[in-house]
């Protein structure tokens, strides 16, 4: 209730509809034996949550037994307007009933304040973890209209692509985006700098992909430094005059596969069922395991006190196994080491061979099984993060780092 009061004080325009909200809730209670109307919000301020949380919310309705959702209607509102991406918003409006915030937010605040009303609550503000493996089980929820698809292909021509060109997305996180939305005094960017990566380590992979016939988009709305590549098939999208909210979504949704260090935009590729290579992944506890289309390459953990790299078991036993703040790594004298350019190129080629070319020979199944047995046997694992194991650690990474599994 205290939170609801604070929200109402900070959003005085809601006062008008606040007075009619209890009447509407009473009506919802009265008609609930015939039809249950649930009210909630969509997490639309960050693109990763806007994509993945909403997708899982939508799919979980299908996943639940039909009887539990019989005659149920969900009404959503956007707590922030405009949302972080208008194109993604419009795609969701085709699938969900989204009504004005000023009408539904007071109703939602009241419902969330009283436990006996919780059955009238619907929200996508749940989780972005696919613990029921729904992404692999269900087809893509969102789709572009014929006009939108033609528009996207036309936009890609500006970068030199033709209608049949295949392309890959590379998404490498640095501090540019958080620095642009938070004040420096808040130290938000510093807390997350353990997730930052050097784009230069991806140049060889990008160049290799172009030799295989792919165009490569280095994605992102902002970036600290350009790629500086002399390759017309590699597009440095953050520095392009053609970038747009529409292309952010269209490119991410239509790539052959996505290479990412773990940032919000890769969720768009995920909900459009594109294969994903997760590179330089940290913290290890939050590794993505729930799709057969995922290949994983974790960062190395270097212990400064021991003056050496840490094994998988040592990482699991440390405070940094699930650490989401750079300060924890500093306090433990542990440095995260990025994957090398060669390692990144190897796992990208593995994705090309395994997923695109359907060539799954020469896999080291013994090391894969050993890794997952060690990983999942840790008693401190947060079970809310995991579903059925379907993903794979990079084959070359395991073959070249057997010490990691000791």
């Amino acid at each position: 209730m205290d939170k609801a009061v604070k929200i109402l004080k900070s959003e005085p325009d809601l006062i008008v509809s606040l007075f009619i909200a209890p009447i509407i809730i009473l009506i919802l209670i009265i008609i609930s034996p015939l039809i249950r109307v649930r009210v909630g919000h969509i997490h639309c301020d960050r693109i990763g949550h806007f994509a993945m949380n909403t997708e899982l919310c939508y799919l979980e309705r299908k996943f639940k037994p039909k009887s539990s959702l019989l005659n149920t209607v969900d009404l959503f509102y956007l707590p922030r307007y405009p949302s972080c991406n208008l194109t993604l918003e419009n795609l969701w409006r085709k699938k969900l009933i989204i009504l004005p915030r000023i009408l539904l937010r007071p109703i939602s605040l009241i419902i969330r304040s009283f436990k006996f009303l919780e059955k009238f609550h619907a929200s996508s503000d749940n989780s972005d973890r696919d613990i029921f493996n729904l992404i692999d089980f269900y087809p893509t929820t969102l789709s572009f209209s014929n006009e939108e698809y033609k528009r996207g292909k036309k936009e890609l021509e500006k970068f030199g692509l033709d209608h049949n060109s295949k392309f890959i997305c590379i998404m490498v996180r640095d501090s540019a985006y958080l620095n642009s939305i938070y004040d420096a005094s808040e130290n938000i960017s510093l807390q997350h700098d353990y997730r930052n990566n050097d784009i230069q380590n991806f140049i060889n992979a990008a160049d290799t992909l172009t030799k295989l016939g792919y165009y490569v988009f280095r994605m992102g709305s902002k970036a600290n430094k350009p790629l500086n590549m002399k390759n017309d098939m590699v597009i440095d999208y953050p520095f392009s005059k053609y970038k747009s909210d529409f292309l952010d979504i269209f490119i991410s949704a239509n790539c052959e596969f996505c290479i990412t260090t773990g940032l919000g935009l890769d969720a768009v590729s995920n909900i459009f069922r594109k294969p994903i290579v997760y590179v330089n992944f940290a913290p290890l506890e939050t590794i993505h395991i729930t799709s057969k289309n995922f290949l994983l390459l974790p960062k190395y953990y270097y212990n400064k006190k021991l003056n050496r790299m840490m094994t998988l078991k040592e990482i699991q036993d440390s405070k940094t196994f699930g650490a989401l703040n750079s300060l924890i790594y500093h306090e433990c004298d542990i440095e995260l080491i990025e994957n090398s350019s060669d390692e990144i190129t190897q796992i990208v080629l593995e994705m090309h061979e395994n997923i695109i070319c359907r060539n799954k020979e020469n896999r080291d199944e013994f090391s894969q099984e050993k890794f997952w047995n060690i990983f999942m046997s840790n008693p401190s694992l947060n079970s809310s993060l995991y579903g059925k194991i379907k993903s794979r650690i990079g084959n070359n990474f395991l073959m070249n780092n057997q010490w990691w599994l000791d």
Side-chain angles (χ1 to χ4, degrees):
M1 178 61 78
D2 291 341
K3 182 178 180 180
V5 172
K6 290 180 180 178
I7 291 174
L8 289 170
K9 286 182 178 179
S10 64
E11 302 178 37
D13 61 325
L14 299 179
I15 299 298
V16 176
S17 52
L18 178 63
F19 292 104
I20 65 170
I23 299 173
I24 296 176
I25 291 174
L26 179 60
I27 294 173
L28 298 184
I29 295 172
I30 293 171
I31 67 173
S32 62
L34 298 175
I35 182 169
R36 180 172 298 175
V37 179
R38 304 190 302 183
V39 177
H41 67 278
I42 294 175
H43 197 340
C44 67
D45 57 330
R46 301 284 288 274
I47 198 163
H49 295 298
F50 198 12
M52 198 64 187
N53 289 51
T54 314
E55 173 78 353
L56 294 179
C57 174
Y58 184 87
L59 294 179
E60 283 168 12
R61 276 184 56 91
K62 290 186 176 182
F63 182 69
K64 289 182 179 179
K66 295 293 182 181
S67 58
S68 68
L69 291 172
L70 194 63
N71 297 328
T72 299
V73 176
D74 288 341
L75 307 178
F76 294 100
Y77 69 92
L78 305 180
R80 161 184 162 162
Y81 193 82
S83 63
C84 62
N85 187 284
L86 185 58
T87 298
L88 188 56
E89 177 186 327
N90 289 334
L91 290 174
W92 280 124
R93 286 184 182 276
K94 297 176 186 178
K95 293 291 182 178
L96 305 171
I97 302 174
I98 301 177
L99 299 178
R101 162 189 152 276
I102 195 168
L103 173 63
L104 295 187
R105 190 157 171 79
I107 298 172
S108 178
L109 292 174
I110 293 173
I111 288 173
R112 289 155 58 191
S113 298
F114 297 96
K115 189 171 181 59
F116 76 95
L117 293 174
E118 64 182 9
K119 65 181 180 181
F120 298 103
H121 180 230
S123 176
S124 70
D125 193 17
N126 42 15
S127 172
D128 59 357
R129 302 291 298 196
D130 183 18
I131 62 173
F132 299 115
N133 300 88
L134 301 177
I135 295 294
D136 276 3
F137 188 78
Y138 289 108
T140 304
T141 300
L142 301 181
S143 61
F144 293 92
S145 67
N146 288 334
E147 285 93 15
E148 289 168 334
Y149 189 77
K150 289 177 181 177
R151 174 191 170 189
K153 287 294 186 177
K154 192 70 175 177
E155 292 284 317
L156 292 182
E157 290 177 3
K158 299 175 182 177
F159 298 98
L161 283 71
D162 61 34
H163 188 77
N164 296 315
S165 295
K166 295 182 178 182
F167 55 91
I168 308 295
C169 289
I170 294 181
M171 304 176 184
V172 179
R173 190 190 185 282
D174 61 25
S175 61
Y177 179 72
L178 286 186
N179 284 340
S180 71
I181 63 174
Y182 291 108
D183 187 271
S185 61
E186 297 182 73
N187 291 326
I188 300 295
S189 181
L190 290 176
Q191 293 174 26
H192 289 270
D193 65 7
Y194 72 92
R195 299 168 62 194
N196 293 340
N197 299 276
D198 187 355
I199 187 60
Q200 303 304 314
N201 288 334
F202 292 78
I203 288 179
N204 185 51
D207 195 49
T208 300
L209 286 168
T210 63
K211 293 175 182 177
L212 293 172
Y214 297 109
Y215 281 82
V216 177
F217 283 89
R218 182 267 188 102
M219 298 298 291
S221 60
K222 298 181 184 298
N224 283 330
K225 58 184 180 181
L227 269 174
N228 292 327
M229 288 184 67
K230 295 181 179 179
N231 187 331
D232 292 337
M233 294 181 71
V234 179
I235 295 99
D236 206 359
Y237 182 78
F239 299 95
S240 171
K241 63 181 179 180
Y242 300 123
K243 70 176 181 178
S244 66
D245 275 7
F246 172 77
L247 282 178
D248 288 350
I249 305 302
F250 187 84
I251 294 172
S252 302
N254 288 282
C255 61
E256 295 299 312
F257 62 87
C258 169
I259 305 159
T260 179
T261 60
L263 59 160
L265 190 57
D266 59 42
V268 176
S269 296
N270 196 358
I271 68 171
F272 277 89
R273 311 304 193 263
K274 297 302 177 182
I276 298 179
V277 183
Y278 288 98
V279 178
N280 283 327
F281 202 86
L284 194 57
E285 185 181 32
T286 60
I287 199 167
H288 294 284
I289 75 170
T290 55
S291 174
K292 65 182 184 300
N293 288 328
F294 292 168
L295 276 176
L296 314 170
L297 195 61
K299 279 187 175 180
Y300 295 96
Y301 286 57
Y302 180 80
N303 190 311
K304 296 179 181 178
K305 292 179 180 178
L306 299 176
N307 195 30
R308 64 170 173 81
M309 299 292 188
M310 299 170 66
T311 66
L312 173 58
K313 290 180 180 178
E314 288 174 331
I315 295 170
Q316 289 181 304
D317 292 337
S318 75
K319 292 181 180 180
T320 58
F321 180 50
L324 299 174
N325 191 316
S326 300
L327 295 176
I328 299 175
Y329 296 94
H330 294 310
E331 290 170 0
C332 296
D333 281 332
I334 291 175
E335 180 183 358
L336 293 175
I337 307 297
E338 294 181 37
N339 304 127
S340 70
S341 174
D342 286 343
E343 287 175 323
I344 294 170
T345 302
Q346 285 173 355
I347 198 170
V348 166
L349 289 173
E350 184 177 347
M351 175 62 83
H352 170 75
E353 290 291 324
N354 292 357
I355 303 298
I356 305 303
C357 296
R358 307 298 179 187
N359 179 9
K360 299 181 180 180
E361 297 179 1
N362 301 318
R363 283 184 168 187
D364 183 0
E365 299 297 345
F366 176 79
S367 295
Q368 287 287 332
E369 185 176 354
K370 186 176 181 180
F371 167 80
W372 290 116
N373 285 339
I374 296 172
F375 186 86
M376 297 305 293
S377 65
N378 190 330
S380 66
L381 281 180
N382 182 350
S383 60
S384 67
L385 297 176
Y386 309 108
K388 182 179 179 181
I389 299 172
K390 291 188 174 183
S391 309
R392 297 179 63 85
I393 304 297
N395 195 60
N396 284 289
F397 177 84
L398 290 179
M399 290 177 63
N400 296 330
N401 295 287
Q402 288 292 310
W403 59 267
W404 194 57
L405 302 177
D406 291 339

